[in-house]
Amino acid sequence: MTVERFIPALTRGAVALIGTLAVGLVAVLAAGLDPVTTLQAIIDGALGSPYAIRQSLTEAVPVTLTALGVAVAFRAGLFNLGGDGQIYIGALGAVGVSLLFPELAPILLIPFALVVGMFGGLVWGCLAGVLRAKLRLSEIITTIMLNFIAFWIISYLVHGPLKDPGGSGYPLTREIPEAAQLPVFGDLIPSGAVLMLVAAFCVWLLLERTPTGIKIKGTGSSASASRFAGVSMSRVTILVMAIAGALAGLGGAVSLQGDQYKLGDFFSPGWGFDAVAVALIGRGTATGTLITGIAVGALRSGIQSAQGTAEVPSSIAQILLAAAVLFVIVGNAEGAGQLVRRSWARTRGLASE
Amino acid sequence: MSDLFDIVTSATLYAAAIRLALPIFLAALGETFAERAGLVNVGLEGMMLMGAFGAVLGSDVTGSALAGVAIGLLLAVLVAAVQGFVSINLGGDQIVCGIALNIGALGITAFLVRAIWEGGNAPQVAGFSAFDFPLVANAPFVGVAVFQQGIFVYVALVLALISWWALMKTGWGLRMRGCGEDPLACESLGIPVKRLRWQAMLICGACAGLGGVFLALGQLLTFSDGMSGGRGFIALAVVIIARWSPMLAIPSALLFGAVEAFALRVQSSDLDVPPELMLALPYVATIIVYAIVVGRSNPPAALGRSYVRQ
């Protein structure tokens, strides 16, 4: 990498980070908080103890799994804004299996519920993929509609047929049996975190080491060239949306079996949109998405525990994510690139292009 | 079954349909300008949300609904300015920018609601009430269905007419549509592509903001997190269904207003239908209508492609 290309890349990253932190500082000051104690409280809440680390990982898993799926779709040029709907349907599959077969041994029930959850998400993602491939409906619109449809289906179920009759009136399902609950390794590493790492590795393999990955990336960077090379666009579209849905569905199942144990209509606190931001900040790569996802999980968990001590509003996480995505696009933008190149050329005493 | 018949034939259903269609229509009208000029604005939802929030804030602080309109419009146009700067000046990815703005608007409004109002809930504020349109308000059926609405309905109708005329019948509109078809050719003819696209984006922000303002001040008289409820995305579908025409956006938006009104009426009737499933109906309808219409659509040629003068 030449200096001319390396410096702008480094500047872009630094500017995005500093910009995002500045936005966070403004938000913290606007909330009337002391920045130093707030940051301290968030870091403490995210990483301060083994329990905090476990919570951070737990929070990171559904977002990161969903974001990995968003990343795969993004590389094919598709926007999966339907993470939330896929998470809900995934959790529904997992809760259904767990409550229907409580007598199964954990070794069977846990993977069974996870797989059915994954399949639920896959179906929900596939719907948008098929609508896009066969009818040319924009997945940006259909995934959002499918989110609301999934949400109201779940809401109907947990207010009606699936509502726990013994619960104190809350719209929640019964708690899943212990045999369906995911173990935590050494009281520190939730098994969901292991699944997250495996999923990230699989996505990396798919994108970087398989012919399918080449097709996916080719479709994203130049649709016409791919079509000319004989790649079936509709097959790639349905495939990536199925993968995206399956990963989000797995995220829902893992959160159900490893953290929440009950399904209610506020099951996902907006992981679907967080995941879109995470995948975009991670530039659609498996590693970038994994790292960003874990960081966002830690941030969310840190803010949650800081809410008790320093009253940090949880919406700050969303504001920071939006700001980070904006800075990343600005960094990637053609016009901004021109500006940077021109000023770089000027500082080296060369004439502007 | 007679219950269902009563619902479908009641004039108040159609009055509700018009009321519920209005925010979607206004957002779609704005998006029509943006897309005709070649800009995809997925941030519609965020602009509506900011409009609704600003309306409640302005109305609460001053006690005047008109001030609410002003603040709501201002905030929505600010969001549009960010979208405009990134997509027009920097040539950044328009869709990604819109998605970021939607997430940001959700976060900022939720943040400000908790920072501003005691207890973290927006209060009930002064809004616009319905009035009887002179002479025709008491006409049978149509009077209740159409002519007992708030001022916004008539404002929207006038806006639709002006937009249709400006976009389809003036040189300015022709040049703006040119920017959406072939910006390079426009530039070579001396047409200021950047300026026209900025105008389209700011109009889009104002219209979407007005949609949000109406959602807050014409219907619910308060703000709640994410209250735009996907209407910005339904509006994106309406633009396509209306084939990028300001006038066709009226019946297209009305269709969704009617579905939502129907769902709400069934929900509050004696019919034994789960209310939650009725609330999913507008979203199902969006996909179905969109699927029926899209095959024949013909979007602006340069839609969504970044264009930065070299």
Side-chain angles (χ1 to χ4, degrees), chain B residues 29 32 36 164 168 239 242-250:
Chain B
L29 187 64
T32 303
R36 282 287 191 163
W164 170 77
M168 300 306 187
V239 173
R243 296 181 207 167
W244 292 269
S245 150
M247 294 312 279
L248 282 180
I250 297 177

Side-chain angles (χ1 to χ4, degrees), chain A residues 27 79 81 135-138 140-141 144-145 148 152 155-156 159 273 276 280 313 315 318-319 322 329-330 333-335 338, chain B residues 90 92-93 95-97 99-100 103-104 107-108 111 229-230 233-234 236-237 274 276 279 283-284 290-291 294-295 306 310:
Chain A
F79 293 92
L81 307 187
L135 297 172
R136 296 201 294 137
L137 303 198
S138 158
I140 293 174
I141 297 173
I144 294 281
M145 297 303 125
F148 285 102
W152 287 117
S155 184
Y156 160 66
H159 279 93
F273 281 153
V276 176
L280 292 171
S315 40
Q318 268 174 327
I319 296 175
I329 333 170
V330 169
E334 204 185 332
Q338 274 180 15
Chain B
L90 299 180
D93 191 307
I95 293 174
V96 176
C97 180
I99 293 171
I103 299 174
I108 288 176
F111 177 82
F233 292 92
I234 295 182
L236 284 176
E276 294 88 1
L279 290 169
Y283 308 105
V284 177
Y290 182 22
V294 78
S306 85
Q310 297 301 311

